[in-house]
Every structure is written in structure tokens, then in C-alpha cells.
Amino acid sequence: MLELALVFLKIGLASYGGGWTIVGIIKTEVLGRNWLDEAAFADLVAIAQITPGPVALNTATMTGFRVHGFLGAVVATLAVVAVPLILAIVVGMLAKKHFAAGSRLSEALKSATLGLLAMTVWAFAPSMASAWYVPVLSVLAFCLSMFTKLNPVWIILGAGCMGALVFTFL
Amino acid sequence: MSDASKKAQPGFWSIFFLFFGISSVIIGGGYVMVPVIQRAIARKGWLAEDEFYDLFALAQALPGPIALNAATFAGRRLAGLRGLLAGFLGVVLPPFVAILLVAVLLDNLAGLKPVQGFLKGAYAVVPGLVSAFAVNMVRKRNWTPVRAVLTCVASIAMIVSGSWAIPVFFVVAAVAWLSEGWKRC
């Protein structure tokens, strides 16, 4: 149990950017320690995907649950968010002024963040090419999101329900 | 802090329920939750769009799931430590409960056809939503030639860097920080 907490503390410290990077880190740690085999981990990621919320967080909760039951789920979840939460509090208190909108640091981080976003968008290329409906729906979602005030929640839920209907009945 | 934000400072529960609601329904990972959070907060009149992008840039620079960081930083900006905790709990609780329910009760949920179809549909719009978020962030930025060049270089560098993306992120941030200071002297 202590090992579980330490591993997820470490993962929380090393987890940068989007969820899928973090899932990759968790996979390396979990498989490397023989806590789960590859098939069990793939199953677990599938469940993390269909449950709402950040995938990285869900994968951590699920791994804890599989390894140590309910208590493991609590420990893994708390451990993986401990470092980000503490940093958010500390950085927030220390740097109120420096992070004001338009400040030097904030503008510097924006250049880097836009780079990271560009990388994320680029990484979607394989999924865009995987099936004809992915680019179609993506372009539609892009336009809806750019040119209307529609909340993206409805775009996701709408596309999901459409997918459920089409996939079940065709 | 601007007057506008003081006037509309929301309480713990309204922030909590906003994030609780978002985290309860959004499937598709952090980069999808971020634009949803942005829209929701802007619609309530709590935070201007460009201010949110500043918070997002900072949230990106710290470790942790990006959706969680975006929520805690937005919460803190809205209502201090109270707001930070409200954002944190709001994002963390729904998936925690959902995942245990699924794990205990519906172990074969992922194998059901409607569920698979729902996932295919929901994940198909993710690239579009994330691209729109990126374009909006680009549109709202206060551009200078130096910032434009650095951002282009950063994008290309990170796309080719693979697993070195995070070190590249910090190198770019450092170079950008130096260039911002040099300009002001």
C-alpha cells in the first residue's frame, strides 16, 4: 500500500500535459512492478475512458482499485493529485502578481503552451485518418465551436448519442 | 484584479457544482474538459476569455492532469483558496464515484455495443474541439513579431521532439521570458 502511494506520488510529480501521456507513465510503472498484466491494464484503461472525468485521474483510481480494493483507489487518487494540488496552492500564493494577465511570465508560458497545443492537435492525425466519420465530425465540431456559442458539452454528448444509435442499429 | 471579477465573485458551492457537472458528463480527457470549462466560466460572466488563457498557460507549466490544474487555477482566481478546493473536489469526485460503480457493478460495460458507439462518436469530435480551442487562444492573444516567431518555432520543435516535448516546453518558456524582458529595456 505504501508502495502504491509512493508510485502514484511520483507519477503525479512527473505528469505533464494531457491525460494520455500520464496513462503511458502509469502503464510503465504498473507493468514494470507486475501489479497487473498488459491485458488487465488495457481493460482498465477502457473503463477509465468510458467513465467521465480526466482519463489520467480515472486510470489512477482504477489501478488502485484493482491492486488494493477501495482503499487502494482512495490512496492512488489522493497520491496522484497531491503534488499538483500543493503546487497549485503554493504557486497561487507566491505569485499572485507575477501571473497577472499580460505579465512577462504569463506571455512566455503562452508561447510554450501554444506549442504544446500544436503538438496535441498534430497527434490527432492518426485518429483523423482512422475512419471517414472522424474528420467529418471533427470539422463539424470545429465550426460549431468557433462560430456559435454552443457549449462543447452538447457537441460531445450529441456525437456520442449519434454514435450509440448508429453503431447499435446499423 | 479588475473590478469586474470582484463584482461577480462566486461562492464555494456554485464553483463546486459547475466543475462537478462538467466532470460528471465529459468523456474524452483533459484537453476536452479545458474548452468546456472555459465556455462555462465565460458564460457565467466569472472570467474573461483571455484571462482564462493566461491561467491555462500557467496550469500547463505545472505537473498534474491538465483538466484538474485548469479547474484549481480557475477556482483560485475566482474565489481564492475556497475556490481552489471547490474546483478540485468538483473535478475529482464524480469520476471517482463513477469508476468504482463501474468497476463493481458493470464490469463488462465497455463491451456493450451502444457504449462502444457512444465512445466512437464522442472521441470523433475531440480533434475538432481541441483545434477550436487552440485557434481561439491564438485569436485572443496580444501578438508581437517576436511572440509569433517563438510560437511557430515552439510548435514545430514540439511536434518533432516526441518524448522530449516537456524539456522543449521549458526551453521555449525560458527563451520567451528572456525575449520579453529584453524588449522592455
Side-chain angles (χ1 to χ4, degrees), chain A residues 91 95-115, chain B residues 49-61 73 76-77 137 140-143 147 150-151 169 172-174 176-181 183-184:
Chain A
V91 170
K96 244 175 195 161
K97 248 188 250 155
H98 298 283
F99 293 116
S103 74
R104 184 176 170 188
L105 194 56
S106 169
E107 284 303 327
L109 286 175
K110 260 194 210 173
S111 297
T113 292
L114 282 171
Chain B
E49 195 177 345
D50 50 344
E51 254 189 293
F52 182 84
Y53 296 139
D54 280 292
L55 288 176
F56 174 64
L58 178 59
Q60 185 86 269
F73 277 92
R76 195 192 64 78
R77 173 69 184 71
M137 193 166 165
K140 283 275 169 175
R141 194 167 183 205
N142 200 353
W143 288 100
R147 286 174 191 171
L150 269 172
T151 304
F169 177 91
V172 171
W177 190 74
L178 290 173
S179 78
E180 296 281 335
K183 228 172 39 220
R184 258 165 228 189

Coordinates of all heavy atoms in Angstrom, one line a residue, chain A residues 91 95-115, chain B residues 49-61 73 76-77 137 140-143 147 150-151 169 172-174 176-181 183-184:
Chain A
V91 N 2.0 27.9 -5.6 CA 2.3 28.9 -6.7 C 1.3 30.0 -6.7 O 1.6 31.2 -6.9 CB 2.3 28.1 -8.0 CG1 2.3 29.1 -9.2 CG2 3.4 27.2 -8.2
A95 N 2.7 33.8 -6.2 CA 2.9 34.5 -7.4 C 1.7 35.3 -7.9 O 1.6 35.4 -9.1 CB 3.4 33.5 -8.5
K96 N 0.9 35.7 -7.0 CA -0.3 36.4 -7.5 C 0.0 37.5 -8.5 O -0.6 37.6 -9.5 CB -1.0 37.0 -6.3 CG -2.4 36.4 -6.1 CD -3.0 37.0 -4.8 CE -4.2 36.1 -4.4 NZ -4.6 36.2 -3.1
K97 N 1.1 38.3 -8.2 CA 1.4 39.4 -9.0 C 2.0 39.0 -10.3 O 1.6 39.5 -11.4 CB 2.4 40.3 -8.3 CG 1.8 41.6 -7.9 CD 2.8 42.6 -7.3 CE 2.6 42.8 -5.8 NZ 3.8 43.1 -5.1
H98 N 2.9 38.1 -10.3 CA 3.7 37.7 -11.5 C 2.8 37.1 -12.6 O 3.2 37.1 -13.7 CB 4.8 36.8 -11.1 CG 5.8 37.4 -10.2 ND1 6.7 38.3 -10.6 CD2 5.9 37.2 -8.9 CE1 7.5 38.6 -9.5 NE2 7.0 38.0 -8.5
F99 N 1.7 36.5 -12.1 CA 0.9 35.8 -13.1 C -0.3 36.6 -13.6 O -1.2 36.1 -14.2 CB 0.5 34.4 -12.6 CG 1.6 33.5 -12.4 CD1 2.0 33.1 -11.2 CD2 2.4 33.1 -13.5 CE1 3.0 32.2 -11.0 CE2 3.4 32.3 -13.3 CZ 3.8 31.8 -12.1
A100 N -0.3 37.9 -13.3 CA -1.3 38.7 -13.8 C -1.4 38.6 -15.3 O -0.4 38.4 -16.0 CB -1.1 40.2 -13.4
A101 N -2.6 38.8 -15.8 CA -2.8 38.7 -17.3 C -1.8 39.7 -18.0 O -1.6 40.8 -17.6 CB -4.2 39.1 -17.7
G102 N -1.2 39.2 -19.1 CA -0.3 40.0 -19.8 C 1.1 40.2 -19.2 O 1.9 40.9 -19.8
S103 N 1.4 39.6 -18.1 CA 2.7 39.7 -17.5 C 3.7 39.0 -18.3 O 3.4 38.2 -19.2 CB 2.7 39.2 -16.1 OG 2.7 37.8 -16.1
R104 N 5.0 39.3 -17.9 CA 6.1 38.7 -18.7 C 6.1 37.2 -18.7 O 6.2 36.5 -19.7 CB 7.4 39.3 -18.1 CG 8.7 38.8 -18.8 CD 9.8 39.5 -18.1 NE 11.1 38.9 -18.6 CZ 12.3 39.2 -18.1 NH1 12.4 40.0 -17.1 NH2 13.3 38.6 -18.6
L105 N 5.9 36.6 -17.5 CA 6.0 35.2 -17.3 C 4.8 34.5 -18.0 O 4.9 33.5 -18.7 CB 6.0 34.8 -15.9 CG 6.3 33.4 -15.6 CD1 7.7 33.0 -16.1 CD2 6.3 33.1 -14.1
S106 N 3.6 35.2 -17.9 CA 2.4 34.6 -18.4 C 2.5 34.6 -20.0 O 2.1 33.6 -20.6 CB 1.2 35.5 -18.0 OG 0.1 35.2 -18.7
E107 N 3.1 35.6 -20.6 CA 3.2 35.7 -22.0 C 4.3 34.6 -22.5 O 4.1 34.0 -23.5 CB 3.7 37.1 -22.5 CG 2.5 38.1 -22.5 CD 1.3 37.6 -23.3 OE1 1.5 36.9 -24.4 OE2 0.2 38.0 -23.0
A108 N 5.3 34.5 -21.7 CA 6.4 33.5 -22.0 C 5.7 32.1 -22.0 O 6.0 31.3 -23.0 CB 7.5 33.6 -21.1
L109 N 5.0 31.8 -21.0 CA 4.3 30.5 -20.9 C 3.3 30.2 -22.0 O 3.1 29.1 -22.5 CB 3.6 30.3 -19.6 CG 4.6 30.1 -18.4 CD1 3.8 30.1 -17.1 CD2 5.4 28.8 -18.5
K110 N 2.7 31.3 -22.5 CA 1.7 31.2 -23.6 C 2.4 30.7 -24.9 O 1.8 29.9 -25.6 CB 1.0 32.5 -23.8 CG -0.3 32.6 -23.2 CD -1.1 33.7 -23.7 CE -2.1 34.3 -22.7 NZ -2.7 35.5 -23.2
S111 N 3.5 31.2 -25.2 CA 4.2 30.8 -26.4 C 4.5 29.3 -26.3 O 4.2 28.5 -27.3 CB 5.6 31.5 -26.6 OG 5.3 32.9 -26.7
A112 N 5.0 28.8 -25.1 CA 5.3 27.4 -25.0 C 4.0 26.6 -25.0 O 3.9 25.5 -25.5 CB 6.0 27.2 -23.7
T113 N 2.9 27.1 -24.3 CA 1.7 26.4 -24.3 C 1.0 26.2 -25.6 O 0.5 25.1 -26.0 CB 0.7 27.1 -23.3 OG1 1.2 27.0 -22.0 CG2 -0.7 26.5 -23.3
L114 N 1.1 27.2 -26.4 CA 0.6 27.1 -27.8 C 1.3 26.1 -28.6 O 0.8 25.3 -29.4 CB 0.6 28.5 -28.5 CG -0.6 29.4 -28.1 CD1 -0.3 30.8 -28.6 CD2 -1.9 28.9 -28.5
G115 N 2.6 26.0 -28.3 CA 3.5 24.9 -29.0 C 3.0 23.6 -28.5 O 2.8 22.7 -29.4
Chain B
E49 N -12.4 35.6 -21.5 CA -11.7 34.5 -22.2 C -10.2 34.6 -22.2 O -9.5 33.7 -21.9 CB -12.2 34.6 -23.7 CG -11.9 33.3 -24.5 CD -12.5 33.4 -25.9 OE1 -13.4 34.2 -26.1 OE2 -12.1 32.6 -26.7
D50 N -9.7 35.9 -22.4 CA -8.2 36.0 -22.5 C -7.6 35.7 -21.1 O -6.5 35.2 -21.0 CB -7.8 37.3 -23.1 CG -8.5 38.5 -22.4 OD1 -9.5 38.3 -21.7 OD2 -8.0 39.6 -22.5
E51 N -8.3 36.1 -20.0 CA -7.8 35.8 -18.7 C -7.7 34.3 -18.4 O -6.8 33.8 -17.8 CB -8.7 36.4 -17.6 CG -8.1 37.7 -17.0 CD -9.0 38.1 -15.8 OE1 -10.1 38.5 -16.1 OE2 -8.5 38.0 -14.7
F52 N -8.7 33.6 -19.0 CA -8.6 32.1 -18.8 C -7.4 31.5 -19.5 O -6.8 30.6 -19.0 CB -9.9 31.5 -19.4 CG -9.9 30.0 -19.2 CD1 -10.4 29.4 -18.0 CD2 -9.5 29.1 -20.2 CE1 -10.4 28.1 -17.8 CE2 -9.5 27.8 -20.0 CZ -9.9 27.2 -18.8
Y53 N -7.0 32.1 -20.7 CA -5.9 31.5 -21.4 C -4.6 31.8 -20.6 O -3.7 31.0 -20.7 CB -5.8 32.2 -22.8 CG -7.0 31.8 -23.7 CD1 -7.6 32.7 -24.5 CD2 -7.5 30.5 -23.6 CE1 -8.7 32.3 -25.3 CE2 -8.6 30.1 -24.4 CZ -9.1 31.0 -25.2 OH -10.2 30.7 -26.0
D54 N -4.5 32.9 -19.9 CA -3.4 33.1 -19.0 C -3.3 32.0 -17.9 O -2.2 31.5 -17.7 CB -3.5 34.5 -18.3 CG -3.0 35.6 -19.3 OD1 -1.8 35.7 -19.6 OD2 -3.9 36.4 -19.7
L55 N -4.4 31.7 -17.3 CA -4.5 30.7 -16.3 C -4.1 29.3 -16.9 O -3.3 28.6 -16.3 CB -5.9 30.6 -15.7 CG -6.3 31.7 -14.8 CD1 -7.8 31.4 -14.4 CD2 -5.5 31.8 -13.6
F56 N -4.6 29.1 -18.1 CA -4.3 27.8 -18.7 C -2.8 27.6 -19.0 O -2.3 26.6 -18.8 CB -5.1 27.7 -20.0 CG -4.8 26.5 -20.8 CD1 -5.1 25.2 -20.3 CD2 -4.3 26.6 -22.1 CE1 -4.8 24.1 -21.1 CE2 -4.0 25.5 -22.8 CZ -4.2 24.2 -22.3
A57 N -2.2 28.7 -19.4 CA -0.7 28.7 -19.7 C 0.0 28.3 -18.5 O 1.0 27.5 -18.5 CB -0.3 30.0 -20.3
L58 N -0.4 28.9 -17.3 CA 0.3 28.6 -16.1 C 0.0 27.1 -15.6 O 0.9 26.4 -15.2 CB -0.2 29.6 -15.0 CG 0.4 29.4 -13.6 CD1 1.9 29.4 -13.6 CD2 -0.2 30.4 -12.7
A59 N -1.3 26.7 -15.8 CA -1.7 25.4 -15.4 C -0.9 24.3 -16.1 O -0.5 23.3 -15.6 CB -3.2 25.2 -15.6
Q60 N -0.6 24.7 -17.4 CA 0.1 23.8 -18.3 C 1.6 23.6 -17.8 O 2.2 22.6 -18.1 CB 0.1 24.4 -19.7 CG 0.7 23.6 -20.8 CD -0.3 22.6 -21.3 OE1 -0.4 21.5 -20.9 NE2 -1.1 23.0 -22.3
A61 N 2.1 24.6 -17.1 CA 3.5 24.6 -16.8 C 3.8 23.8 -15.5 O 4.9 23.5 -15.1 CB 4.0 26.0 -16.6
F73 N -6.8 26.2 -10.8 CA -6.3 27.6 -11.1 C -7.5 28.6 -11.3 O -7.5 29.7 -10.8 CB -5.3 27.7 -12.2 CG -3.9 27.3 -11.8 CD1 -3.5 26.0 -11.8 CD2 -3.1 28.3 -11.2 CE1 -2.2 25.7 -11.4 CE2 -1.9 28.0 -10.8 CZ -1.4 26.7 -10.8
R76 N -9.2 29.1 -8.0 CA -8.4 30.1 -7.1 C -8.6 31.5 -7.6 O -8.7 32.4 -6.8 CB -6.9 29.7 -7.1 CG -6.1 30.4 -6.0 CD -4.7 30.2 -6.2 NE -4.2 30.9 -7.4 CZ -4.0 32.2 -7.5 NH1 -4.3 33.0 -6.5 NH2 -3.6 32.7 -8.7
R77 N -8.6 31.7 -8.9 CA -8.7 33.0 -9.4 C -10.1 33.6 -9.1 O -10.2 34.8 -8.9 CB -8.5 33.0 -11.0 CG -8.7 34.2 -11.7 CD -7.7 35.3 -11.4 NE -8.0 36.5 -12.1 CZ -9.0 37.3 -11.7 NH1 -9.8 36.9 -10.7 NH2 -9.3 38.4 -12.4
M137 N -7.5 30.6 -28.7 CA -6.4 31.1 -27.9 C -5.4 31.9 -28.8 O -5.0 33.0 -28.3 CB -5.6 29.9 -27.3 CG -4.7 30.4 -26.2 SD -4.1 28.9 -25.2 CE -2.8 29.7 -24.3
K140 N -7.1 35.4 -29.5 CA -7.2 36.3 -28.4 C -5.9 36.8 -27.9 O -5.8 37.7 -27.0 CB -7.9 35.6 -27.2 CG -9.4 35.5 -27.4 CD -10.1 36.8 -26.9 CE -11.6 36.8 -27.4 NZ -12.3 37.9 -26.9
R141 N -4.8 36.3 -28.4 CA -3.5 36.7 -27.9 C -3.1 38.1 -28.4 O -3.4 38.5 -29.5 CB -2.4 35.7 -28.3 CG -1.2 35.9 -27.5 CD -0.3 34.8 -27.5 NE 0.9 35.1 -26.6 CZ 2.1 34.6 -26.8 NH1 2.3 33.7 -27.7 NH2 3.0 34.9 -25.9
N142 N -2.3 38.8 -27.6 CA -1.8 40.1 -27.9 C -0.5 39.8 -28.7 O 0.6 39.6 -28.0 CB -1.5 40.8 -26.6 CG -1.4 42.3 -26.9 OD1 -1.4 42.7 -28.0 ND2 -1.4 43.0 -25.8
W143 N -0.5 39.8 -30.0 CA 0.7 39.3 -30.7 C 1.7 40.4 -31.0 O 1.4 41.5 -31.2 CB 0.2 38.7 -32.1 CG -0.5 37.4 -32.0 CD1 -1.8 37.2 -32.0 CD2 0.1 36.2 -31.8 NE1 -2.1 35.9 -31.8 CE2 -0.9 35.2 -31.7 CE3 1.5 35.7 -31.6 CZ2 -0.7 33.9 -31.5 CZ3 1.7 34.4 -31.4 CH2 0.6 33.5 -31.3
R147 N 6.8 37.2 -30.4 CA 5.9 36.1 -29.9 C 5.5 35.2 -31.0 O 5.4 34.0 -30.8 CB 4.7 36.8 -29.2 CG 5.0 37.4 -27.9 CD 3.8 38.1 -27.3 NE 4.2 38.9 -26.2 CZ 3.4 39.8 -25.6 NH1 2.2 39.9 -26.0 NH2 3.8 40.4 -24.5
L150 N 8.4 32.9 -32.0 CA 8.7 32.0 -31.0 C 7.6 30.9 -30.9 O 7.9 29.7 -30.7 CB 8.8 32.7 -29.6 CG 10.2 33.1 -29.2 CD1 10.1 34.0 -28.0 CD2 11.1 31.9 -29.0
T151 N 6.4 31.3 -31.1 CA 5.3 30.3 -31.0 C 5.4 29.3 -32.2 O 5.2 28.1 -32.0 CB 3.9 31.0 -31.0 OG1 3.9 32.0 -29.9 CG2 2.8 30.1 -30.8
F169 N 9.4 22.4 -23.9 CA 8.4 23.4 -23.4 C 9.1 24.4 -22.5 O 8.9 25.6 -22.6 CB 7.3 22.6 -22.6 CG 6.3 23.5 -21.9 CD1 5.1 23.8 -22.5 CD2 6.5 23.9 -20.6 CE1 4.2 24.6 -21.9 CE2 5.6 24.7 -20.0 CZ 4.4 25.1 -20.6
V172 N 11.6 26.7 -24.4 CA 10.8 27.7 -25.1 C 10.4 28.8 -24.1 O 10.5 30.0 -24.4 CB 9.6 27.1 -25.8 CG1 8.7 28.3 -26.4 CG2 10.1 26.3 -27.0
A173 N 9.8 28.4 -23.0 CA 9.3 29.3 -22.0 C 10.4 30.2 -21.5 O 10.3 31.5 -21.4 CB 8.7 28.6 -20.8
A174 N 11.6 29.6 -21.3 CA 12.8 30.4 -20.8 C 13.2 31.4 -21.9 O 13.4 32.6 -21.6 CB 13.9 29.5 -20.5
A176 N 11.4 32.6 -24.3 CA 10.4 33.6 -24.4 C 10.4 34.7 -23.3 O 10.2 35.9 -23.5 CB 9.0 33.0 -24.5
W177 N 10.7 34.1 -22.1 CA 10.8 35.0 -20.9 C 11.9 36.0 -21.1 O 11.8 37.2 -20.8 CB 11.0 34.2 -19.7 CG 10.9 34.9 -18.4 CD1 9.7 35.3 -17.8 CD2 11.9 35.3 -17.5 NE1 10.0 36.0 -16.7 CE2 11.3 36.0 -16.5 CE3 13.3 35.2 -17.6 CZ2 12.1 36.5 -15.4 CZ3 14.1 35.7 -16.6 CH2 13.5 36.4 -15.5
L178 N 13.1 35.5 -21.6 CA 14.2 36.4 -21.8 C 13.9 37.5 -22.9 O 14.2 38.7 -22.7 CB 15.4 35.6 -22.2 CG 16.0 34.8 -21.1 CD1 17.1 33.9 -21.7 CD2 16.6 35.7 -20.0
S179 N 13.2 37.0 -23.9 CA 12.9 37.9 -25.0 C 11.9 39.0 -24.6 O 12.0 40.2 -25.0 CB 12.3 37.2 -26.2 OG 11.0 36.9 -26.0
E180 N 11.0 38.6 -23.7 CA 10.0 39.6 -23.2 C 10.7 40.7 -22.4 O 10.4 41.9 -22.5 CB 9.0 39.0 -22.3 CG 8.1 38.0 -23.0 CD 7.0 38.6 -23.8 OE1 6.6 39.7 -23.5 OE2 6.5 38.0 -24.8
G181 N 11.7 40.3 -21.6 CA 12.4 41.3 -20.8 C 13.3 42.2 -21.6 O 13.4 43.4 -21.4
K183 N 12.9 43.1 -24.6 CA 12.2 44.1 -25.3 C 11.8 45.3 -24.5 O 11.7 46.4 -25.0 CB 10.9 43.5 -25.8 CG 10.6 43.7 -27.2 CD 9.4 42.8 -27.6 CE 8.3 42.8 -26.5 NZ 7.7 41.6 -26.3
R184 N 11.6 45.1 -23.2 CA 11.1 46.2 -22.4 C 12.2 47.2 -21.9 O 11.9 48.3 -21.5 CB 10.5 45.6 -21.1 CG 9.0 45.6 -21.3 CD 8.3 44.8 -20.3 NE 7.3 43.9 -20.9 CZ 6.4 43.2 -20.3 NH1 6.4 43.2 -19.0 NH2 5.5 42.5 -20.9

